[in-house]
């Protein structure tokens, strides 16, 4: 009989506060494992630019943490894939001592897999068992091409991946696809032995078996860490498989952990603080109604950047005031930590009217709504603020002082975040949407401030 043990992480999102205990758990698991073979995998979204150190180092600090743990393989999530420019992603793993298994992200040449990736990997255990690893990431077909990637659909690439590992004794999928897709794959492909999941931040405390396929997942942010145990007979057939997770908060905390965590944050902030952006004559307030409002400057910035008729932003985006005097990348990251991009939307006037009505309908709800995900790294959605849009008591809409023409086309500077949240369906239904990669909103704002208020 052969025993294989796998420890896995997913969706760490640069939550360095959990890294010390995760590191000790991984090292201890490796040392104390009674299995014949021990492996460590990461299933993507290890980095998140919301943390200043990941922002300042373009994710290299995350690789520096992973390398000493000797990961055997990883795949990427959308935070690696879409949170980096094409060039930054190409070089993110230059110094990684582990392979990136990924078979659905291609260069502009559709026959050329991303240069940093391997389509599959076959690991041979000490007993000669062949473990076939596949890796797939969520196919954001609208956004990856904006970064000059050719992203391929799962129904096209999964059969090709399976072909690469068809002669293996054990088949494992590193899946940054989400729980629904994992379950669908399990129903259609019982030849896969284990799917280790990610992306939707789902947690399987004791695994889940669908159609004989073991599904494992460890939640989000390093709040849990997963373990999988496989047993094989002498014919290299799996006779038992199980999974469980451990809550990181239950692991022992050492006195030096807090200092290490603080050092990572401080290191990132210091690196960002060295990059000066602008020299503000006045503090810009998060109060959107203030005389010197960060909102009004940001509306101008996105409208100028997208070259549109009007602009809309929400006050919850701005987490802090921007101080008078020298503004650095640290200040802008503190204010706008979000993985959100400017989006230019073109639609006819009748659809603009409907969109404005959707915004007005949801205004009171969104004002204090606790918003999570879709790139947002703040707390509440906040107040919707228009630039160039007015509404009268009879629900007539005016664009830059003129009554809206329902047959005329208008351009709006919005955010891709507003496309992804469910409150404004007209954007997806009726808008011609151009998400303006690769700069995040804070980068667009930084460029604007540097020109208006040069140092």
């Amino acid at each position: 009989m052969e025993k294989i043990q796998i420890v896995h992480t997913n969706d760490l999102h640069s939550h360095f506060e959990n890294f010390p205990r995760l590191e000790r758990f991984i090292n201890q698991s490796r040392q104390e494992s009674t299995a014949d073979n021990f492996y460590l995998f990461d299933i993507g979204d290890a980095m998140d630019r919301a943390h200043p150190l990941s922002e300042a180092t373009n994710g290299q600090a995350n690789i520096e943490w992973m390398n000493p743990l000797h990961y055997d393989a990883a795949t990427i999530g959308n935070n690696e894939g879409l949170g980096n420019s094409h060039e930054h992603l190409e070089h993110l793993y230059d110094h990684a001592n582990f392979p990136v298994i990924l078979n659905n992200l291609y260069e502009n040449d559709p026959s050329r897999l991303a240069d940093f990736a391997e389509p599959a990997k076959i690991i041979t255990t000490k007993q000669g068992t062949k473990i076939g690893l596949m890796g797939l990431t969520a196919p954001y077909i609208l956004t990856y091409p904006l970064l000059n990637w050719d992203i391929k659909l799962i129904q096209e690439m999964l059969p090709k991946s399976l072909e690469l590992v068809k002669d293996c004794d054990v088949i494992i999928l590193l899946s940054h696809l989400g729980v629904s897709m994992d379950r669908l794959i399990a129903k259609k492909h019982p030849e896969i032995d284990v799917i280790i999941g990610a992306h939707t931040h789902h947690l399987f405390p004791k695994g889940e078996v669908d159609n004989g396929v073991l599904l494992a997942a460890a939640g989000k942010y390093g709040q849990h860490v997963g373990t999988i145990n496989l047993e094989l007979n002498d014919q290299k057939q799996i006779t038992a498989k199980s999974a469980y997770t451990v809550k990181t908060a239950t692991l022992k905390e050492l006195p030096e952990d807090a200092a290490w965590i603080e050092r990572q944050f401080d290191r990132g902030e210091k690196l960002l603080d060295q990059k000066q952006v602008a020299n503000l004559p006045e503090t810009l307030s998060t109060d959107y109604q203030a005389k010197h409002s960060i909102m009004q400057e940001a509306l101008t910035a996105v409208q100028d950047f997208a070259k549109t008729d009007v602009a809309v932003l929400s006050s919850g985006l701005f987490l802090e005031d921007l101080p008078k005097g020298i503004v650095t990348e640290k200040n802008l990251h503190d204010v706008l930590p979000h993985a959100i991009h400017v989006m230019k939307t073109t639609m006819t006037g009748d659809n603009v009217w409907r969109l404005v009505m959707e915004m007005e309908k949801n205004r009171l709800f969104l004002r204090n709504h606790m918003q999570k995900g879709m790139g947002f790294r703040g707390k509440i959605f906040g107040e919707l603020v228009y630039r160039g849009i007015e509404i009268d008591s009879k629900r007539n809409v005016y664009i830059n002082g003129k009554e809206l023409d329902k047959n005329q086309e208008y351009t709006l500077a919005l955010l891709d975040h507003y496309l992804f949240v469910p409150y404004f369906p007209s954007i997806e239904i009726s808008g011609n949407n151009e998400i303006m990669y690769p700069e995040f909103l804070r980068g667009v704002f930084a460029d604007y401030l540097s020109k208006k208020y040069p140092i």
Side-chain angles (χ1 to χ4, degrees), residues 353 356-357 360 390-398:
W353 182 88
V356 172
M357 293 304 111
E360 290 304 306
E390 294 179 353
I391 310 147
D392 66 18
S393 59
K394 297 180 180 180
R395 301 204 302 178
N396 295 308
V397 174
Y398 300 84

Side-chain angles (χ1 to χ4, degrees), residues 363-427:
R363 178 179 292 279
L364 291 179
F365 168 75
L366 292 172
R367 183 173 291 164
N368 297 300
H369 174 58
M370 302 294 287
Q371 179 64 47
K372 292 183 179 180
M374 278 71 74
F376 186 71
R377 302 292 185 257
K379 294 181 179 179
I380 63 168
F381 187 93
E383 193 75 39
L384 285 161
V385 182
Y386 302 136
R387 165 69 58 78
I389 299 175
E390 294 179 353
I391 310 147
D392 66 18
S393 59
K394 297 180 180 180
R395 301 204 302 178
N396 295 308
V397 174
Y398 300 84
I399 302 296
N400 293 319
K402 295 182 180 180
E403 188 169 356
L404 179 145
D405 181 342
K406 294 193 174 183
N407 296 311
Q408 180 181 332
E409 277 199 339
Y410 296 93
T411 54
L412 303 87
L414 304 173
L415 301 176
D416 60 354
H417 179 64
Y418 303 155
L419 174 64
F420 302 142
V421 296
Y423 314 122
F424 316 120
S426 289
I427 296 175

Side-chain angles (χ1 to χ4, degrees), residues 122 132 134 160-169 171:
I122 297 175
M134 305 179 294
K160 294 179 180 180
S161 294
L162 283 166
E163 185 67 20
L164 295 173
V165 298
K166 65 179 181 179
D167 296 325
C168 292
D169 305 298
I171 296 177

Side-chain angles (χ1 to χ4, degrees), residues 8-19 22-23 26 40-48 51 54 62 65-66 69 71 79-80 176 198-199 201 218-226 248:
H8 56 97
T9 55
N10 64 274
D11 295 286
L12 296 177
H13 283 276
S14 294
H15 276 258
F16 283 81
E17 69 273 16
N18 289 319
F19 284 13
L22 283 176
E23 181 176 335
I26 291 167
L40 175 64
F41 304 137
D42 183 78
I43 322 299
D45 276 0
M47 70 166 286
D48 191 316
H51 194 285
S54 295
N62 301 72
W65 179 77
M66 294 174 74
L69 293 174
Y71 276 82
N79 270 268
E80 287 92 4
H176 199 92
H199 185 48
H201 297 178
K220 63 180 182 179
Y221 305 161
Q223 294 171 353
H224 296 80
V225 58
T248 309

Side-chain angles (χ1 to χ4, degrees), residues 99-112:
V100 178
I101 311 303
L102 178 65
N103 199 24
N104 66 321
L105 187 67
Y106 281 66
E107 304 287 349
N108 268 337
D109 175 353
S111 64
R112 180 177 152 209

